[in-house]
Amino acid sequence: MQIANYINGKLTAPNSGDYIDNIDPAIGEPYGRVPDSDERDIATAVAAARDAFPGWSATPAAERSAILLRIAQLIKDNFDDIAMAECIDTGKPHKLARSVDIPRAIANLKFFATAILHTQSESHITDSAAINYTLRRPHGVVGLISPWNLPLYLLTWKIAPALATGNTAVAKPSEITPMTAFLLSELCIEAGLPPGVLNIVHGLGAKVGAALAVHDDVAAISFTGGTATGASIAESTSRRFKKLALEMGGKNPNIVFADADMDGALDTSIKSAFSNQGQLCLSGSRIFVENSVYGDFVNRFVDTARELKVGDPLDDSCDQGALVSQAQLDKTKYYVDLARDEGGNILCGGKRPTDKEIGERCAGGFFYEPTVVNGLAADCRVNQEEIFGPVVSISPFDTEDEVIEYANGTNYGLAASVWTKNLDRAHRVADRIECGTVWVNCWMLRDLRVPFGGMKESGLGREGGEEALRFFTEPKNVCVALHGRS
Ligand code: NAD
């Protein structure tokens, strides 16, 4: 299937007339074509967004809200087709797309569509001299750049607050997984979103994403993706002083103390290690277990990882689907080889499953077995660099101080999980870990009101709830003198 850009309310072909193959990762073959757009398509899309801004920003919040809710409802009405598109585009299990990605995309739209109906503002009285109040106005045209691992979920995480607050937008989904963004553009037309309010331009990051980031009429960029790409966007936009929100990579610690509920810790650690084939920025890819329970935990963890069924994403009996691309499969293999070189023991996995195990339909797909490694030093590359595949490293620790040093000993700082029944320790450790989110006795529980983002090289700024509403608006203080002049 050949998809189109969505510019000024219409589905349009790229200026170049060229297309990129869209690969189905479960079979390793092209199944569609993605516009190979360039800066000309970005220029048209930004111009459409600029023209739409005065009307959209002046549209009453209740009307903006109603349109976004209509889009959410249309996703719900087309749930099966969209979940299937997400599964085929990404290689993730169909049941995961149905249970996580698409419901969360709907929730994003609903949350921000209704949040703008309940915003509050404050005023400040300066003695008896003046009243200060703060206006929050949308920026104008914003650029939204998103990755392939949770395509619709992360795209709507940006689109919803950007549009709800009155901005118009040009979105650039990942060229690797464009299909759900295309379906969304069809639904925006059906929902009656005015032309130009949202534009979606498909194509390569270095061409389309880079052109969007530096466009002079784009006031703010919200980016989710790899740290190297985030750094290049920060560099290319630095002299233009755009508002930037960067959500980037992670190498998240998952810490299990001896007093934890071991069944819960084990169950959730398996999910946090291998959900979406380990391709989550929030994956708990470094597991640290207190020495007294380490041996038992490792045995049970490895036994459970071995039982995970890898195979056809359309088969609901499979727990793991395909990695998103040949490049991601090669990267995973590279890091497993590196783990061997760095002195690690491969406790399970460490290879592609056989064609017989995967089944005939998926023989050419990008599959890899859930892999557990131990015996690695905390500062080795496998424990420092984001793999973004089904590979976890597991290590023992003796003391709280020691494990906090390990946890904080990377350049990343996105998220962490802590497993303990000791309330004092839970709060103490949560406070000492350098990251944006700490889950205590859980993982991936989501409340859309909380700030989301990372410290260090995991991010700049925060998304989610009030933070997103703030990011997409510019505050302006108005100071009114109470007694004529002062
Ligand atoms: P990526 O950085 O390669 O691509 C992300 C997006 O940026 C894509 O749309 C891509 O086309 C675009 N892009 C690429 N080069 C660009 C450039 N020079 N200028 C502008 N845009 C450009 O990331 P990916 O491989 O798609 O996604 C995986 C990464 O995303 C991982 O590192 C993961 O941790 C991270 N991620 C972070 C979060 C978070 O919330 N922190 C969430 C999901 C994924």
Side-chain angles (χ1 to χ4, degrees):
M1 179 181 179
Q2 182 166 295
I3 66 168
N5 290 330
Y6 169 51
I7 298 177
N8 205 18
K10 293 201 173 60
L11 300 177
T12 53
N15 270 283
S16 66
D18 296 334
Y19 289 83
I20 312 159
D21 279 341
N22 186 11
I23 311 284
D24 175 346
I27 58 173
E29 284 174 17
Y31 83 103
R33 290 174 9 120
V34 194
D36 185 7
S37 312
D38 57 34
E39 73 281 359
R40 290 170 294 172
D41 304 286
I42 286 291
T44 319
V46 172
R50 201 181 49 215
D51 291 348
F53 178 69
W56 182 248
S57 55
T59 300
E63 279 178 42
R64 293 201 301 267
S65 171
I67 293 185
L68 292 173
L69 289 174
R70 212 143 60 220
I71 298 170
Q73 183 59 44
L74 284 169
I75 296 177
K76 213 168 164 192
D77 296 346
N78 292 275
F79 192 94
D80 291 344
D81 290 349
I82 296 174
M84 184 57 80
E86 170 101 7
C87 162
I88 294 172
D89 239 14
T90 59
K92 71 179 57 179
H94 186 223
K95 64 182 178 191
L96 187 67
R98 283 199 317 265
S99 60
V100 176
D101 297 70
I102 312 308
R104 288 190 174 200
I106 294 169
N108 288 338
L109 284 156
K110 283 187 173 172
F111 177 84
F112 287 106
T114 48
I116 51 161
L117 304 178
H118 306 283
T119 51
Q120 295 182 2
S121 51
E122 283 183 6
S123 63
H124 302 275
I125 317 291
T126 312
D127 299 325
S128 56
I131 297 176
N132 290 272
Y133 62 90
T134 307
L135 295 173
R136 288 206 156 262
R137 294 289 183 240
H139 297 295
V141 181
V142 298
L144 313 174
I145 304 176
S146 53
W148 48 257
N149 64 329
L150 303 162
L152 190 64
Y153 168 3
L154 292 176
L155 186 64
T156 50
W157 181 236
K158 297 181 185 303
I159 287 174
L163 266 49
T165 47
N167 298 280
T168 54
V170 177
K172 183 349 222 152
S174 171
E175 61 275 26
I176 300 170
T177 56
M179 193 52 90
T180 48
F182 172 68
L183 296 179
L184 179 70
S185 36
E186 293 186 319
L187 299 182
C188 288
I189 296 171
E190 194 177 337
L193 187 69
V197 170
L198 173 65
N199 305 271
I200 301 180
V201 183
H202 296 277
L204 299 171
K207 257 200 234 178
V208 179
L212 175 61
V214 299
H215 196 295
D216 283 333
D217 289 339
V218 174
I221 296 286
S222 170
F223 165 82
T224 300
T227 297
T229 314
S232 109
I233 291 175
E235 212 174 299
S236 67
T237 56
S238 67
R239 296 190 68 82
R240 292 176 164 87
F241 305 107
K242 292 175 193 274
K243 304 285 171 292
L244 274 192
L246 303 175
E247 299 292 346
M248 303 183 286
K251 191 74 184 175
N252 311 300
N254 178 22
I255 302 170
V256 182
F257 285 97
D259 67 353
D261 160 15
M262 278 304 149
D263 292 343
L266 187 86
D267 218 41
T268 305
S269 299
I270 286 281
K271 289 195 188 95
S272 117
F274 300 121
S275 282
N276 209 32
Q277 297 69 247
Q279 302 167 122
L280 291 175
C281 55
L282 302 169
S283 291
S285 52
R286 293 183 297 146
I287 305 177
F288 299 103
V289 185
E290 195 166 352
N291 231 328
S292 57
V293 292
Y294 177 74
D296 186 45
F297 187 92
V298 170
N299 290 338
R300 290 178 67 194
F301 188 85
V302 169
D303 286 348
T304 315
R306 277 204 185 102
E307 279 166 19
L308 294 173
K309 187 173 167 197
V310 183
D312 193 334
L314 298 177
D315 175 354
D316 277 350
S317 74
C318 290
D319 304 293
Q320 302 269 280
L323 293 167
V324 78
S325 63
Q326 181 69 51
Q328 213 55 33
L329 178 61
D330 292 344
K331 189 177 175 199
T332 302
K333 287 180 184 164
Y334 171 83
Y335 275 103
V336 173
D337 288 343
L338 182 64
R340 290 190 180 100
D341 291 348
E342 291 185 319
N345 313 304
I346 311 299
L347 302 177
C348 67
K351 59 183 171 52
R352 188 185 185 279
T354 62
D355 289 350
K356 194 171 161 221
E357 283 165 320
I358 301 168
E360 200 183 330
R361 187 184 93 85
C362 295
F366 311 131
F367 295 88
Y368 203 82
E369 288 181 359
T371 300
V372 183
V373 187
N374 77 348
L376 289 169
D379 61 354
C380 74
R381 283 185 57 202
V382 170
N383 266 330
Q384 291 290 315
E385 297 172 17
E386 187 185 45
I387 302 173
F388 226 54
V391 181
V392 288
S393 159
I394 188 160
S395 317
F397 69 89
D398 285 310
T399 66
E400 197 176 299
D401 283 346
E402 181 191 2
V403 77
I404 285 170
E405 197 178 316
Y406 293 153
N408 290 340
T410 75
N411 291 335
Y412 292 109
L414 189 58
S417 281
V418 179
W419 294 88
T420 179
K421 285 186 185 151
N422 179 328
L423 192 62
D424 292 354
R425 174 156 57 204
H427 288 295
R428 198 168 53 232
V429 173
D431 185 38
R432 292 179 67 193
I433 297 180
E434 295 160 356
C435 68
T437 298
V438 179
W439 281 290
V440 177
N441 298 329
C442 60
W443 173 74
M444 269 286 254
L445 271 187
R446 190 182 190 226
D447 185 321
L448 294 174
R449 291 167 298 185
V450 304
F452 177 83
M455 292 183 185
K456 303 196 277 189
E457 292 185 10
S458 288
L460 184 72
R462 292 290 183 276
E463 296 187 322
E466 194 60 36
E467 301 281 341
L469 298 175
R470 283 176 184 270
F471 173 74
F472 284 111
T473 52
E474 190 81 71
K476 181 197 292 177
N477 188 56
V478 179
C479 178
V480 183
L482 287 179
H483 304 290
R485 60 200 172 98
S486 79

